[in-house]
Amino acid sequence: MSFSTWIQMGGYAMFVWPAYGIAAAALGLLALGSIRRYRLAQRRLAVMMATRRGEDA
Amino acid sequence: MHRFANPARFMRMSQIVLPWLTVVTTLLLVAGLVLSFVAPPDYQQGESVRIMFVHVPAAWMAMCAYTSLAAASAAALIWRHPLAEIAAEETAPLGAVFTGLCLVTGSLWGQPMWGTWWAWDARMTSVLVLFFLYLGYMALLNAFDDPTRGRRAAAILALVGFVNVPIIKFSVDWWNTLHQPASVLRVGGPTIDPSILLPLLIMAVAFTLLFATLLVVRMRAALIERKIRVLDAAAGGALG
């Protein structure tokens, strides 16, 4: 099977590719957003703990 | 159960589990995607059957996530456990995304196969209701000045809304719908050819693990944010 035939998905390309594209975008953004939030929280906590240690010293 | 629901224990255990979970999820997602495009076209649906490898796992996850949301809400209401509260709060956005994905991919499959983007079919309508239940839960959670009241109201909505999950599952048996009856989770075993069933099941496991991974990440983030708020309050709000 040639690449162009595969891309055409037997005439269903305009339905198959958007389905995978939307799934990748939605789940990718969800994952990136979750990781970003987690890292931000970790950084904020680290800064807060460092500030408290500085105050205690 | 209470022993394992300790936030400090959860943080310790999840720190060990999370890297492994991430690796297995990534490998299964890649394997599932490859198999989704290697599988032969369906004799009736042709290449459009590939949409099913995303649509069906998303639909299963939409229902599984809501079941988790209802279970966590029940635990939060009964035992007032903070980890159950956080689990419920962090499950809702994940469930909403999977439900939205199920609706959109279903629509993309429905147009070439049924000749319509949308029909008020019992299965589709009950999944749309599920999507609104997720949105309602998240809206209710933030609708009160007192967060405790918001959590309680949202938990009650989650429990009441759980009645919709069996309705979704059995809608194809109870009503005359466009959707075919159950073809995987049924008495007598699946009716799908193994060449289609294998990628479908691998994608389903991959989506389940993705949900678990993201839930752990989000719960860890929420617990850290709570700790920051407590420390901030102890410091008199000086650190913002």
Side-chain angles (χ1 to χ4, degrees):
Chain A
M1 185 199 284
S2 71
F3 182 70
S4 65
T5 313
W6 182 71
I7 282 288
Q8 285 165 14
M9 281 286 148
Y12 295 114
M14 65 175 290
F15 303 104
V16 174
W17 294 120
Y20 277 84
I22 290 167
L27 297 177
L29 285 173
L30 190 66
L32 284 177
S34 304
I35 293 165
R36 194 164 168 263
R37 177 183 160 201
Y38 177 50
R39 292 203 172 142
L40 195 69
Q42 274 184 318
R43 269 204 297 274
R44 280 191 65 199
L45 183 65
V47 168
M48 194 173 258
M49 297 305 270
T51 310
R52 281 170 66 95
R53 272 197 298 272
E55 281 172 0
D56 290 345
Chain B
M1 191 182 121
H2 288 274
R3 199 163 62 89
F4 291 106
N6 180 296
R9 190 184 293 265
F10 171 80
M11 289 299 274
R12 276 198 306 276
M13 285 174 67
S14 60
Q15 193 163 19
I16 299 164
V17 171
L18 196 54
W20 295 100
L21 205 52
T22 309
V23 170
V24 177
T25 304
T26 310
L27 289 176
L28 275 174
L29 271 176
V30 171
L33 269 176
V34 170
L35 285 174
S36 297
F37 286 100
V38 168
D42 182 73
Y43 82 105
Q44 278 185 320
Q45 301 174 42
E47 302 280 354
S48 76
V49 74
R50 303 193 195 288
I51 298 173
M52 288 294 114
F53 301 134
V54 178
H55 172 71
V56 175
W60 286 344
M61 282 321 300
M63 288 193 287
C64 282
Y66 199 88
T67 306
S68 309
L69 173 64
S73 297
L77 276 177
I78 297 164
W79 292 298
R80 305 269 163 98
H81 205 288
L83 204 57
E85 274 176 8
I86 287 174
E89 286 169 28
E90 299 306 327
T91 296
L94 300 177
V97 169
F98 279 112
T99 312
L101 197 56
C102 165
L103 289 167
V104 170
T105 54
S107 189
L108 282 164
W109 182 86
Q111 174 58 25
M113 291 298 110
W114 292 338
T116 182
W117 297 102
W118 181 263
W120 293 101
D121 150 273
R123 172 63 65 81
M124 291 154 88
T125 308
S126 52
V127 172
L128 184 66
V129 169
L130 185 75
F131 185 61
F132 289 139
L133 280 168
Y134 278 121
L135 297 186
Y137 176 91
M138 290 188 283
L140 209 50
L141 202 59
N142 301 303
F144 293 86
D145 289 332
D146 177 8
T148 311
R149 285 184 67 198
R151 283 190 201 108
R152 203 167 298 163
I156 290 167
L157 174 70
L159 286 175
V160 172
F162 183 68
V163 73
N164 192 43
V165 173
I167 290 175
I168 295 171
K169 167 71 183 144
F170 296 109
S171 58
V172 288
D173 303 318
W174 293 342
W175 294 287
N176 192 15
T177 71
L178 279 172
H179 275 82
Q180 78 277 22
S183 48
V184 180
L185 303 171
R186 63 186 283 279
V187 180
T191 56
I192 299 176
D193 188 78
S195 62
I196 303 282
L197 186 62
L198 182 69
L200 188 66
L201 292 180
I202 290 180
M203 283 296 267
V205 176
F207 271 35
T208 308
L209 290 180
L210 179 66
F211 168 77
T213 308
L214 294 180
L215 182 61
V216 168
V217 170
R218 295 176 70 92
M219 283 177 70
R220 284 180 65 85
L223 279 168
I224 294 172
E225 284 164 0
R226 279 198 179 192
K227 190 173 180 180
I228 289 170
R229 278 198 296 273
V230 170
L231 288 172
D232 193 22
L239 296 169

